[in-house]
């Protein structure tokens, strides 16, 4: 996948390209990324990339001309990839959006600075606006790195055996269970016995249960939008019945209640 990032701070990406899975994806030829300096596409002596907003108001706006030239250059480089504007007004990044973007042959990320980019750039040249969540960043660079990180690890062949997506496919849509490594005893806490048992089926069952209960307690919204399998349904029903029993018992023993109800 050809990736171009348009930014006034290209060196922010140096460390991003140089570490971990992203670095290996580049070394193995899965992605060809480049951070392109918007400033290089200015034509004035001072390489100005921003200007005051028409109609007044605070902040500055990214000038359209350098950006349009930068986008044209990036299009050439990426063979006409999808142009994505990093913007607080964009669609919120999700695993599903990452999967969709991972299917593109090329991507151009525009990183805004200042209050935003000239609206005519958005209208004419942007295919998709992308946010990474409801909080205010100082610019689109870190957001673009977040999006690229999520996308790159989805490209076929990028993840090695140990990290591979098949590793967590069974718990797809659930939060991860807790993890343990050596030593067996750390600061007075021991590793759950089942993980030392060597019983792979029991371990898988335990992990699945832990994933399910973690998700139920911390992110019940994930369960509502997920197709539960037979085992999960049985477990949730069992926990629900336990809770019902506890609550009934409580109600029956309330001192201010004669009937045991409410
Ligand atoms: C505080 C300024 N805001 C209201 C006047 C507008 C604003 C402009 C530019 C707020 C943030 C930014 C810079 N942010 C991004 O470019 C950005 C972003 C973000 O702030 N949050 C989540 N996702 C993204 S993607 C790009």
């Amino acid at each position: 996948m050809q990736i171009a990032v348009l930014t006034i701070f290209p060196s922010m990406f140096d460390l991003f390209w140089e570490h971990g899975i992203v670095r290996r994806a580049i070394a193995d030829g899965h992605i060809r990324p480049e951070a392109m300096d918007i400033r290089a596409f200015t034509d004035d002596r001072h390489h100005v990339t921003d200007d005051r907003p028409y109609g007044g108001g605070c902040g500055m706006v990214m000038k359209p001309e350098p950006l349009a030239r930068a986008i044209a250059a990036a299009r050439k480089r990426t063979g006409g990839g999808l142009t994505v504007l990093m913007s607080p007004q964009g669609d919120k990044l999700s695993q599903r959006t990452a999967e969709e973007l991972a299917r593109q042959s090329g991507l151009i990320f525009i990183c805004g600075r200042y209050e935003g980019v000239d609206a005519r750039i958005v209208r004419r040249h942007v295919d998709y606006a992308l946010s990474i969540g409801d909080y205010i960043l100082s610019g689109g660079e870190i957001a673009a790195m977040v999006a690229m990180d999520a996308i790159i690890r989805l490209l076929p062949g990028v993840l090695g055996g140990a990290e591979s997506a098949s590793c967590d496919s069974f718990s797809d849509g659930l939060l991860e269970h807790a993890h343990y490594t050596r030593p067996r005893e750390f600061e007075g806490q021991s590793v759950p016995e089942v993980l030392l048992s060597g019983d792979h089926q029991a371990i898988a069952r335990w992990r699945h249960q832990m994933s399910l209960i973690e998700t139920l307690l911390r992110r019940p919204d994930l369960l509502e939008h997920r197709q539960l399998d037979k085992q999960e349904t049985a477990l949730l029903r069992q926990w629900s019945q336990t809770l019902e029993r506890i609550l009934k018992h409580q109600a029956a023993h309330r001192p201010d209640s004669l009937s045991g109800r409410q």
Side-chain angles (χ1 to χ4, degrees), residues 114-173:
Y114 321 117
E115 285 307 299
V117 310
D118 189 287
R120 293 161 295 184
I121 288 288
V122 183
R123 247 180 71 112
R124 183 65 54 83
H125 298 292
V126 170
D127 299 312
Y128 187 63
L130 184 63
S131 160
I132 61 163
D134 296 336
Y135 37 81
I136 299 170
L137 302 172
S138 309
E141 283 78 8
I142 290 174
M145 290 185 222
V146 169
M148 286 190 284
D149 191 88
I151 292 162
I152 289 165
R153 52 186 289 111
L154 289 173
L155 298 176
V158 163
L159 290 190
E163 316 140 334
S164 121
S166 71
C167 253
D168 42 34
S169 67
F170 98 90
S171 59
D172 198 19

Side-chain angles (χ1 to χ4, degrees), residues 5-17 34-40 111 113 141 145:
V5 184
L6 307 185
T7 171
I8 58 167
F9 298 129
S11 63
M12 279 184 77
F13 293 84
D14 292 350
L15 292 171
F16 179 65
W17 310 135
E34 189 186 344
M36 300 169 75
D37 190 351
I38 295 167
R39 219 172 276 286
C111 304
R113 280 273 153 177
E141 283 78 8
M145 290 185 222

Side-chain angles (χ1 to χ4, degrees), residues 212 216 223 228-245:
L212 189 62
L216 176 67
L223 292 183
L228 300 166
D229 69 22
K230 239 177 101 179
Q231 198 184 359
E232 291 162 352
T233 314
L235 277 166
L236 286 172
R237 206 160 267 134
Q238 191 188 314
W239 294 338
S240 162
Q241 281 160 7
T242 307
L243 285 172
E244 284 300 339
R245 232 180 307 117

Side-chain angles (χ1 to χ4, degrees), residues 154-249:
L154 289 173
L155 298 176
V158 163
L159 290 190
E163 316 140 334
S164 121
S166 71
C167 253
D168 42 34
S169 67
F170 98 90
S171 59
D172 198 19
L174 296 181
L175 299 180
E176 284 260 307
H177 56 80
H179 301 279
Y180 297 88
T181 185
R182 293 182 294 180
R184 269 182 78 151
E185 186 92 20
F186 177 70
E187 294 186 347
Q189 306 174 85
S190 48
V191 174
E193 207 58 49
V194 63
L195 297 179
L196 312 169
S197 68
D199 182 343
H200 298 295
Q201 232 195 332
I203 292 169
R205 252 199 323 270
W206 180 85
R207 285 181 167 161
H208 192 181
Q209 276 191 38
M210 290 301 132
S211 285
L212 189 62
I213 198 141
E214 196 75 6
T215 312
L216 176 67
L217 294 177
R218 303 184 64 96
R219 293 291 306 278
D221 58 304
L222 295 179
L223 292 183
E224 279 167 50
H225 303 113
R226 182 172 180 283
Q227 186 71 261
L228 300 166
D229 69 22
K230 239 177 101 179
Q231 198 184 359
E232 291 162 352
T233 314
L235 277 166
L236 286 172
R237 206 160 267 134
Q238 191 188 314
W239 294 338
S240 162
Q241 281 160 7
T242 307
L243 285 172
E244 284 300 339
R245 232 180 307 117
I246 292 167
L247 291 170
K248 252 200 200 117
H249 190 82

